[in-house]
Amino acid sequence: MPGKRKAKASEEGEEPKKSAKSEDALVHPGRVRTLNEGDVKAGPVIYWMSRDQRVQDNWAFLHAAEVASKTKSPVAVVFNLVPEYLVAGARQFGFMLRGLKLMEPKLAALNIPFFLVKGDPIKTIPEFVKKVKAACLVTDFASLRLGREWRDEVAKKIDIPFHEVDAHNVVPCWLASDKREYGARTIRSKIHKKLPEFLHDFPTLEKQPKWDSSVKPDKVKWDAEIKAALEKGKDVPEVTWVKPGEEEAMKALNGPKGFLSSERLKKFSNHRNNPNQPDALSNLSPYYHFGHLAAQRAALEASKLRSKAKEDVDAFLEESVVRRELSDNYCFYVPNYDSLDACYDWAKDSLNKHRGDKREHVYTLEQLEKGETYDELWNASQHEMVHTGKMHGFMRMYWAKKILEWTNSPEEAIEFGIYLNDKWELDGRDANGYVGVMWSMGGIHDQGWSEREIFGKIRYMNEKGCRRKFKVDDYIELINKKLKEKA
Ligand SMILES: Cc1cc2nc3c(=O)[nH]c(=O)nc-3n(C[C@H](O)[C@H](O)[C@H](O)COP(=O)(O)OP(=O)(O)OC[C@H]3O[C@@H](n4cnc5c(N)ncnc54)[C@H](O)[C@@H]3O)c2cc1C
C-alpha cells in the first residue's frame, strides 16, 4: 500500500477500521475506512467528490449525509478540478465537466451547495475544509496511485475526522480481499460470498438542512470551464454517441434502447466477443469510469431479469462485478501496477528470455497512434478508439498483444499501450485499463501458455485466430463506415 495513513485499515492481515457507527447505519460500516480518526463535532460535513460523480446511488454521499444527520448539520460537495490528469483531453474533461454541470441543480434541490476548487487537491482540499470550518471530510475510494496519494496527503494536512467510502465496488475492495488476488478464480468466491451482505438497494439521498455557512459557493461558469477544457485538450476531441450524467447513464442501462432491453441483454452471453455486434455490449464503461452510474445499480437492475436471461445476467455480473472489482484489487494492492516489475515471475522470466528475439515489424508510437501498421484489423481497432473513444472489448486484447509484438521491449509495449489507451479511450485512466494492458502484455491474472518468440509464455493472439471467431472484414468495413459518417 502506498503512503502512510493514520489508520492503516487495509494493510494485509489487518481488520479494516470502521467508523464509529450505530448498528442500524444506512451505510454498511465495512464500506467506510477512517483515514483520520476522531469524534465528529457539530458542523458542516464535506463530501470531497472525486471518483463517484453522481448524486444518487452513492454510498460516499449517503455516508456524508448520515454523519451530518447526527448533529443536524448541513452537507456540501467540493470537487477539485485539476488542470491536467494523466493524458486526458477534451474528450474526457468535456464528459466530466458536462456531467458535473448537470449535477449542480440536482444538488441545489437537496440544499447541498457545490463548490468547485481548482489546482492541487493536496492544497485546495485542506484549505477549503479550514475555510468552511468543516467537522468531517468524506471522500470516495480510489485504487490508483494518484488518487491514493491525494487522499493520504490530505489526511496528513487536516485535523478533523476523514472517512473514505468505497462507493465504486459492490463489495468494498478491502473486504473483498485483504491481499493481491492471483486472478478471477481466486477472488470470485470471495466476492460471491459477500454479495448477500452488500448487494442491496440504495436509500435515497434526501433533502439536507440548509447550508448556513457564510462561505457560499461562487457561481460556476460552466460554459467557460467547458470551453477552456475543450480548447486545451482539442487534440482528443469529444465524441457524441454517449451523453454524460446520471440520467443518461440510467437510460443507457434501463431505457427503451438501453442495455437491459430484452433485444440487447439477450445477446450478452453469446455475442459480447463479436466486434461486429457492438450493441451486445453494455457500453456502460464510460459511466462507471466517471462514476455517473453505480455498478451496484446496474447489478441490481440486471439481477431482476435473471429469470428471463440467466446466462446473460450471470455473464454481465461476472464482468461488471467480479472482473471489474478484481482490477481494483490489483491496483490497490500493487502500487506499481503499470510496470513489468508487477508481473508474476513466470511472466517476467519468459518475457526477459525473449527480449532479444527478432521483431519482424517494429513501429514507432506515432505510427501506432495513426493506425499505420501493415495489419488492417489492428488499424481498424486503433481508428475505432481514436474516433469513437471506445474500442470493442475483444479488439482491445488483440490490439494490446500486437503492440507487445511490434515494439522493442515489453517495457516499451506497456508504456505505449497505456499511453494510447489513457489518451483515447473515454473509459481510460482506469484500474480496468491498467489490468487490461498488463493482462495482455504481462500475463496479470492469466496463466502461462506454450512458449513462443517475443511473447514467451504470455497468451498469444493473431489475426488468424480472430478470423476463426468473427468476420474480420466486416469489422474493418464497419469501422471504415463509421469514419466516413463522421467525416
Ligand atoms: C488492453 C485492454 C485495455 C482495456 N482498457 C480499459 C479501460 O481503459 N477502461 C475500462 O473500463 N476497461 C478497459 N478494459 C476492459 C474491457 O475491455 C472494458 O471494460 C469493456 O470493453 C468496456 O466496454 P463495456 O462497458 O461495453 O463492457 P461490457 O462487456 O458490457 O462489460 C460490462 C462492464 O464489465 C467490466 N468489464 C468488462 N470486461 C472487463 C475486463 N476484461 N476486465 C475488467 N472489467 C471488465 C467493465 O466495467 C464493463 O463496463 C481493457 C481491456 C483490455 C484488454
Side-chain angles (χ1 to χ4, degrees):
M1 279 297 306
K4 279 190 196 153
R5 57 180 67 84
K6 291 170 190 171
K8 297 178 290 174
S10 70
E11 300 288 0
E12 277 192 38
E14 276 186 68
E15 276 296 301
K17 281 246 177 184
K18 294 165 184 173
S19 292
K21 295 173 68 66
S22 65
E23 281 308 301
D24 57 350
L26 275 184
V27 180
H28 191 302
R31 278 200 184 278
V32 186
R33 303 194 313 155
T34 308
L35 301 186
N36 277 359
E37 285 171 352
D39 292 333
V40 180
K41 303 202 174 92
V45 174
I46 305 303
Y47 170 28
W48 168 21
M49 182 182 279
S50 180
R51 194 186 188 196
D52 290 282
Q53 299 165 22
R54 62 185 179 276
V55 180
Q56 297 298 344
D57 296 350
N58 182 338
W59 293 119
F61 218 149
L62 287 163
H63 177 70
E66 192 171 26
V67 171
S69 72
K70 304 238 160 83
T71 57
K72 300 193 169 41
S73 298
V75 177
V77 168
V78 61
F79 187 89
N80 183 87
L81 183 60
V82 285
E84 267 154 34
Y85 185 74
L86 302 173
V87 284
R91 179 169 297 174
Q92 298 88 0
F93 272 104
F95 194 83
M96 183 180 82
L97 288 167
R98 291 180 198 281
L100 292 172
K101 178 183 175 185
L102 292 168
M103 185 194 298
E104 199 187 22
K106 287 183 201 290
L107 292 175
L110 297 176
N111 283 339
I112 301 170
F114 177 88
F115 290 86
L116 186 73
V117 295
K118 291 187 199 172
D120 182 352
I122 296 172
K123 201 166 162 280
T124 59
I125 298 298
E127 280 171 5
F128 179 75
V129 156
K130 202 166 164 198
K131 193 165 139 194
V132 297
K133 299 189 177 60
C136 179
L137 180 65
V138 174
T139 194
D140 39 46
F141 164 64
S143 60
L144 300 184
R145 267 192 316 268
L146 191 55
R148 294 255 40 91
E149 192 186 311
W150 289 345
R151 284 157 182 76
D152 289 339
E153 290 305 311
V154 167
K156 284 185 205 155
K157 291 196 172 165
I158 60 175
D159 56 6
I160 53 168
F162 183 16
H163 302 169
E164 180 179 32
V165 184
D166 191 342
H168 218 73
N169 294 300
V170 178
V171 179
C173 186
W174 46 81
L175 290 188
S177 171
D178 61 6
K179 61 173 195 284
R180 171 186 187 169
E181 289 293 335
Y182 199 90
R185 76 183 154 77
T186 65
I187 204 169
R188 185 175 297 114
S189 63
K190 295 182 181 180
I191 288 180
H192 277 279
K193 221 186 267 170
K194 291 204 160 71
L195 284 183
E197 198 180 341
F198 288 99
L199 185 55
H200 53 80
D201 210 347
F202 295 86
T204 304
L205 181 71
E206 305 285 357
K207 210 166 188 171
Q208 299 298 306
K210 276 226 160 80
W211 177 256
D212 52 6
S213 164
S214 59
V215 185
K216 306 282 183 219
D218 291 332
K219 198 164 165 27
V220 182
K221 296 188 175 105
W222 287 111
D223 293 343
E225 291 293 347
I226 293 168
K227 197 171 164 216
L230 298 192
E231 177 56 29
K232 191 170 173 197
K234 61 179 180 241
D235 290 350
V236 183
E238 287 190 289
V239 291
T240 51
W241 64 270
V242 53
K243 308 244 174 312
E246 275 173 270
E247 269 164 29
E248 291 293 336
M250 281 307 286
K251 268 194 232 163
L253 175 70
N254 238 348
K257 289 185 184 156
F259 171 62
L260 296 180
S261 58
S262 59
E263 69 276 19
R264 284 187 59 196
L265 178 62
K266 283 194 172 154
K267 291 185 189 168
F268 193 74
S269 166
N270 289 333
H271 301 293
R272 73 180 182 285
N273 282 325
N274 182 349
N276 292 321
Q277 296 220 24
D279 72 340
L281 297 178
S282 70
N283 283 323
L284 294 173
S285 56
Y287 294 121
Y288 294 148
H289 174 73
F290 289 94
H292 296 179
L293 178 68
Q296 182 155 345
R297 169 59 60 204
L300 286 165
E301 298 303 316
S303 298
K304 291 179 192 162
L305 301 170
R306 186 178 268 113
S307 62
K308 290 188 187 142
K310 184 177 181 309
E311 274 178 30
D312 305 285
V313 169
D314 288 347
F316 177 66
L317 295 181
E318 167 69 13
E319 300 291 3
S320 64
V321 179
V322 176
R323 303 271 166 174
R324 207 180 48 81
E325 300 195 2
L326 175 63
S327 298
D328 253 12
N329 167 278
Y330 170 69
C331 291
F332 185 51
Y333 289 114
V334 184
N336 60 341
Y337 47 77
D338 47 359
S339 142
L340 187 63
D341 292 339
C343 298
Y344 307 120
D345 286 343
W346 67 260
K348 267 188 290 198
D349 292 348
S350 83
L351 283 169
N352 280 330
K353 190 171 146 199
H354 290 274
R355 211 170 253 288
D357 291 355
K358 186 173 169 349
R359 272 86 171 140
E360 213 172 295
H361 303 273
V362 173
Y363 294 108
T364 62
L365 178 61
E366 198 187 346
Q367 286 171 312
L368 293 172
E369 191 156 26
K370 288 186 176 156
E372 289 175 353
T373 75
Y374 76 87
D375 178 347
E376 296 231 351
L377 174 60
W378 191 92
N379 295 344
S381 68
Q382 172 69 18
H383 294 317
E384 182 178 31
M385 175 170 72
V386 166
H387 296 284
T388 72
K390 186 171 182 286
M391 190 192 300
H392 189 279
F394 182 85
M395 291 310 302
R396 295 191 199 206
M397 300 186 273
Y398 179 74
W399 172 86
K401 284 181 180 290
K402 283 284 152 186
I403 297 179
L404 178 62
E405 192 177 320
W406 294 335
T407 41
N408 291 302
S409 66
E411 287 85 354
E412 189 175 79
I414 292 171
E415 186 194 329
F416 287 5
I418 287 179
Y419 171 80
L420 294 172
N421 192 77
D422 280 358
K423 180 170 172 184
W424 294 103
E425 296 284 18
L426 192 49
D427 62 21
R429 306 147 319 283
D430 189 283
N432 276 349
Y434 301 117
V435 167
V437 170
M438 298 304 286
W439 175 89
S440 308
M441 301 182 181
I444 292 292
H445 300 151
D446 203 0
Q447 62 182 58
W449 295 76
S450 54
E451 197 162 347
R452 60 171 63 238
E453 292 206 336
I454 305 172
F455 282 76
K457 292 183 178 166
I458 304 296
R459 187 195 293 247
Y460 178 69
M461 279 174 83
N462 65 5
E463 203 220 10
K464 232 167 143 185
C466 292
R467 283 195 183 274
R468 279 196 299 271
K469 280 196 169 283
F470 66 97
K471 289 187 176 149
V472 161
D473 299 329
D474 287 3
Y475 171 71
I476 296 171
E477 208 182 303
L478 180 79
I479 300 304
N480 284 339
K481 202 170 144 226
K482 278 191 189 175
L483 299 192
K484 272 197 205 118
E485 280 165 8
K486 226 177 149 262

